[in-house]
Amino acid sequence: MGDDDNNNNNNRNGSSKQSEPPRGPPEHSVEIIHPVVPPPRRSWLEKIRNRLKEIFFPDDPLRQFKGQSPVRKLVLGAQYIFPILEWGSHYNFSLFKSDVVAGLTIASLAIPQGISYAKLANLPPIVGLYSSFVPPLVYAVLGSSRDLAVGPVSIASLILGSMLRQEVSPIKDPILFLQLGFTATFFAGLFQASLGFLRLGFIIDFLSKATLIGFMAGAAIIVSLQQLKGLLGITHFTKQMGLIPVLSSVFHHTHEWSWQTILMGFCFLLFLLLTRHISMKRPKLFWVSAGAPLVSVILSTILVFAFKADRHGISIIGKLEEGLNPPSLNMLRFEGSHLGLVIKTGLVTGIISLTEGIAVGRTFAAIKDYRVDGNKEMIAIGLMNVVGSFTSCYVTTGAFSRSAVNHNAGAKTAVSNIVMSVTIMVTLLFLMPLFQYTPNLVLAAIIVTAVIGLIDVPAAYAIWKVDKFDFVVMLCAFFGVILISVQHGLAIAVGISIFKIILQITRPKTAMLGNIGGTDIYRNIHQYKDAMSIQGFLILSIEAPINFANTTYLNERILRWIEDYEAGQDHLKKEGSDLQFVVLELSAVSAIDTSGVLLFKDLRRALEKKGVELVLVNPMGELLEKLQKADENQEILRPNNVFLTVGEAVAFLSATMKRQSSTI
């Protein structure tokens, strides 16, 4: 991949560098040659154990138990499983006061957001409040973040609603749609918790930063356009999520537009955007944007009730059920024709919500300088969704907007989630009749205000400056979401990211090294203009693990380096400047397989036919160990062709050549 430039520039470099008088290696004692030492012998069982430990337990969670008494180990084990036991023993009234203020603040945001996001997922509005009651209690016990505020989020709501609506209509068959929503939530939680228990969190790392930025921006635009139904008062709206179908539906139903809805809706939208702008400019006034959604709900409800606006074309939520979450275990559907749909929906929403939750938690943990355990977070978020699916909740995670408010409001521990949950409980028990006349337009305005912050233009510009390929990935995610569908846009971006990884594996970078005058330092001659090639030596650096996927390419690329070198020598027509040694600098080769070992054997044979010797520099532990086992006849690892540094290799081999020429 990156070698095209090297290939194109090599001849230019050969002519410009070689036109100057070639300089030899710096003069120093050749007798001091540091041996290349093989790694200490380990059994295959030890190797497997260490490898598995690095894959699944990179944080070494058991190190805290070393040297502890049995009772202390039991306490530490309980604290590891239930983090609330760790910080709960140090909890005091001062912390509680801060958590109460933060909990009440995020509750004022959670109530309107919960209702709005449930509507976005095509679920009954009450389900959004249910999802803001039970999951935060579970997370407070199991979660490791002090700032994460748990509840429904816009992206997961959008994905859940759009994917399930492909097969089931939430209007024609609302009960089945609700059942599928709870079942998808169960599978999302099961998948999330499994990643944590099996310590497979590296799977979500395939969602790169560029992918998430493009995906979030595209989803934010789709979510905002979907809210035109509520802001314009349209009754017959498309079920599709793409940009073109949504805009087509908007302009093909202009006769349904309601001027009362438009006037009232855009007034509240401007009010919410203004409060958001104020809080962004003055972070100390965070409570302005935090309380604005609830103020909008209360004010709009009063206006609708006072002026009987529901009789003049403004749609309202309607009566909401009172009472706490009813059990929903009997509503889960693990059979039938829709099982594949709910599993797929659960996996997609589970990955997205898990990525968002962990990213948000780590963001605020970095600000406050404490550590969030990724595997604990996966287990906590997963179990709260499993429990939520049993108690009439849909997919929840840590929301960025709500967590930002929680952080700015001075939250000290996860007790703020408990306070928020208790506030939601009071609302469910006693305040539900007050929301009967809440207009849908204000919910649409709240959603638009919440998701508009997902469009991160500065981050997109930074990606463009740093990595053009990542920028292409971001654009694919963005346009895939707005032009095709949310899940297909995400799949396209992930596919391109994986393709990038495959390219990096199958086309590893190689570089030609030269000597920086007056030193024994060797660097890439295309990067360091002062680095000069050494007469009779072709010094190459391989900058990736060697495996079956790239051995053919590396073999061809190294032979191409040799051909370019020889072509440059022929062009200069210098006598006695034939290539004698190909030196491979292997410091960056961290791993090798059997195909890689065969590469060195093939190279040695190919070079031997040309009268050129293969020299290896600084082969790392695994590479050296496998070469030793495969090289029984010492065809590759001969006494005078393995060195610790390039400088020692060039100095020793140059001295050897001088002795041979003087003897002749």
Side-chain angles (χ1 to χ4, degrees):
M1 183 171 61
D3 288 324
D4 292 338
D5 294 335
N6 292 345
N7 192 27
N8 295 332
N9 294 332
N10 189 53
N11 289 332
R12 292 199 304 270
N13 180 73
S15 59
S16 61
K17 300 285 185 183
Q18 296 289 344
S19 60
E20 301 177 15
R23 291 184 289 179
E27 296 293 333
H28 63 277
S29 178
V30 179
E31 286 74 15
I32 303 176
I33 299 296
H34 299 88
V36 176
V37 181
R41 290 188 175 276
R42 294 182 300 172
S43 67
W44 65 271
L45 189 60
E46 288 179 309
K47 294 177 183 177
I48 293 177
R49 184 182 63 185
N50 290 336
R51 186 59 180 161
L52 291 177
K53 179 182 176 182
E54 289 304 313
I55 293 174
F56 298 108
F57 300 94
D59 54 342
D60 193 11
L62 300 179
R63 67 185 184 279
Q64 60 180 325
F65 296 94
K66 294 178 182 178
Q68 302 292 340
S69 65
V71 176
R72 181 59 181 165
K73 288 181 179 179
L74 185 63
V75 172
L76 291 174
Q79 291 178 346
Y80 183 81
I81 298 173
F82 304 104
I84 192 173
L85 298 177
E86 183 178 356
W87 54 263
S89 58
H90 308 291
Y91 200 70
N92 54 46
F93 185 70
S94 175
L95 296 176
F96 179 68
K97 288 191 297 183
S98 300
D99 288 335
V100 167
V101 173
L104 293 175
T105 305
I106 58 176
S108 67
L109 183 62
I111 293 172
Q113 277 191 349
I115 296 173
S116 303
Y117 292 157
K119 295 275 289 182
L120 182 61
N122 299 302
L123 296 172
I126 191 66
V127 175
L129 292 181
Y130 291 158
S131 302
S132 299
F133 171 48
V134 173
L137 295 176
V138 178
Y139 182 82
V141 176
L142 299 174
S144 60
S145 173
R146 305 171 194 169
D147 299 277
L148 203 67
V150 171
V153 294
S154 58
I155 301 301
S157 302
L158 171 67
I159 295 174
L160 182 77
S162 61
M163 292 185 70
L164 294 181
R165 197 167 61 176
Q166 292 175 356
E167 294 187 15
V168 179
S169 171
I171 299 175
K172 296 179 180 178
D173 205 344
I175 301 300
L176 176 60
F177 192 90
L178 187 60
Q179 291 172 341
L180 297 183
F182 293 152
T183 310
T185 300
F186 172 81
F187 281 111
L190 184 65
F191 175 70
Q192 293 167 334
S194 299
L195 289 181
F197 282 121
L198 299 176
R199 306 186 71 83
L200 298 175
F202 57 84
I203 291 177
I204 66 174
D205 293 336
F206 282 100
L207 291 176
S208 65
K209 181 71 172 178
T211 300
L212 289 175
I213 289 174
F215 171 76
M216 293 291 188
I221 291 177
I222 290 298
V223 169
S224 300
L225 291 175
Q226 284 284 326
Q227 303 319 303
L228 291 176
K229 175 184 178 181
L231 291 172
L232 300 177
I234 300 174
T235 54
H236 298 87
F237 201 72
T238 181
K239 296 179 181 179
Q240 300 182 50
M241 302 298 295
L243 175 68
I244 296 175
V246 170
L247 292 179
S248 177
S249 181
V250 168
F251 291 105
H252 276 82
H253 294 91
T254 53
H255 59 282
E256 295 182 4
W257 292 13
S258 168
W259 69 267
Q260 297 96 330
T261 302
I262 295 173
L263 178 62
M264 189 174 183
F266 280 91
C267 284
F268 279 106
L269 178 60
L270 290 174
F271 168 70
L272 291 169
L273 291 175
L274 179 62
T275 58
R276 180 178 180 274
H277 178 74
I278 292 173
S279 295
M280 289 179 63
K281 290 296 184 181
R282 297 177 178 269
K284 292 184 178 180
L285 299 177
F286 68 90
W287 52 269
V288 174
S289 63
L294 186 60
V295 171
S296 299
V297 168
I298 295 172
L299 185 58
S300 63
T301 302
I302 293 174
L303 290 174
V304 170
F305 179 77
F307 294 101
K308 307 296 181 184
D310 55 313
R311 300 178 184 177
H312 300 281
I314 294 182
S315 62
I316 59 176
I317 293 177
K319 188 175 181 180
L320 299 177
E321 298 179 13
E322 294 182 75
L324 300 180
N325 303 33
S328 57
L329 182 60
N330 60 327
M331 298 184 71
L332 301 183
R333 298 173 64 96
F334 299 116
E335 57 185 15
S337 59
H338 302 299
L339 181 60
L341 174 66
V342 294
I343 292 176
K344 182 173 67 173
T345 304
L347 290 177
V348 175
T349 55
I351 290 175
I352 293 299
S353 58
L354 189 62
T355 303
E356 180 176 357
I358 293 178
V360 171
R362 286 175 174 169
T363 298
F364 291 105
I367 294 174
K368 287 189 175 180
D369 194 23
Y370 68 92
R371 183 173 175 273
V372 168
D373 190 316
N375 285 290
K376 285 184 183 179
E377 290 298 286
M378 293 175 200
I379 295 172
I381 295 174
L383 290 180
M384 79 181 187
N385 278 315
V386 170
V387 173
S389 68
F390 300 157
T391 54
S392 300
C393 304
Y394 77 103
V395 178
T396 54
T397 188
F400 183 81
S401 59
R402 207 176 302 180
S403 300
V405 171
N406 192 37
H407 169 79
N408 291 328
K412 302 299 183 184
T413 67
V415 170
S416 61
N417 275 293
I418 298 176
V419 174
M420 177 190 72
S421 184
V422 171
T423 307
I424 299 294
M425 180 187 71
V426 173
T427 303
L428 287 169
L429 290 174
F430 306 110
L431 304 179
M432 296 315 296
L434 300 179
F435 295 98
Q436 179 177 347
Y437 290 96
T438 300
N440 287 314
L441 60 91
V442 78
L443 302 181
I446 291 171
I447 292 174
V448 172
T449 308
V451 301
I452 199 171
L454 299 176
I455 304 175
D456 196 343
V457 177
Y461 178 66
I463 291 174
W464 163 258
K465 289 197 301 182
V466 174
D467 192 324
K468 302 300 186 291
F469 194 101
D470 272 353
F471 187 77
V472 171
V473 172
M474 185 195 71
L475 289 181
C476 288
F478 177 76
F479 287 111
V481 168
I482 66 174
L483 296 178
I484 306 175
S485 68
V486 174
Q487 59 271 26
H488 286 100
L490 182 63
I492 291 171
V494 172
I496 295 176
S497 297
I498 294 176
F499 176 70
K500 176 185 177 182
I501 295 173
I502 293 174
L503 274 181
Q504 291 174 341
I505 293 173
T506 59
R507 296 294 183 268
K509 290 188 176 182
T510 58
M512 180 188 247
L513 306 184
N515 176 246
I516 296 179
T519 73
D520 60 354
I521 298 173
Y522 289 77
R523 291 294 183 266
N524 188 338
I525 61 177
H526 295 288
Q527 180 179 355
Y528 294 87
K529 301 304 180 184
D530 294 335
M532 304 297 297
S533 58
I534 304 300
Q535 182 175 307
F537 288 83
L538 175 60
I539 307 170
L540 303 176
S541 172
I542 300 177
E543 302 175 356
I546 302 175
N547 52 55
F548 67 94
N550 58 32
T551 52
T552 301
Y553 169 79
L554 284 173
N555 188 33
E556 295 174 351
R557 186 67 187 96
I558 292 172
L559 293 178
R560 203 155 24 109
W561 278 115
I562 296 172
E563 292 173 2
D564 292 342
Y565 182 94
E566 292 174 340
Q569 296 292 328
D570 292 341
H571 175 71
L572 293 173
K573 297 181 179 179
K574 289 190 175 182
E575 296 182 1
S577 60
D578 293 337
L579 179 63
Q580 307 235 0
F581 300 99
V582 172
V583 181
L584 297 183
E585 212 286 330
L586 303 172
S587 299
V589 180
S590 58
I592 192 172
D593 63 3
T594 53
S595 298
V597 173
L598 291 175
L599 167 68
F600 288 98
K601 291 186 176 181
D602 294 339
L603 274 176
R604 190 199 66 80
R605 283 193 290 266
L607 293 177
E608 192 175 38
K609 294 177 182 178
K610 294 175 175 286
V612 179
E613 187 173 348
L614 178 65
V615 179
L616 307 183
V617 170
N618 195 25
M620 303 300 285
E622 180 181 335
L623 172 60
L624 183 59
E625 188 176 16
K626 290 185 177 180
L627 284 177
Q628 285 178 330
K629 291 180 179 179
D631 190 29
E632 296 178 355
N633 299 325
Q634 288 193 333
E635 297 176 353
I636 303 174
L637 302 177
R638 286 174 290 179
N640 294 329
N641 74 334
V642 181
F643 299 89
L644 190 62
T645 68
V646 176
E648 290 183 355
V650 173
F652 180 85
L653 296 173
S654 297
T656 302
M657 285 194 304
K658 289 179 181 178
R659 284 197 297 267
Q660 291 175 349
S661 61
S662 62
T663 302
I664 294 173

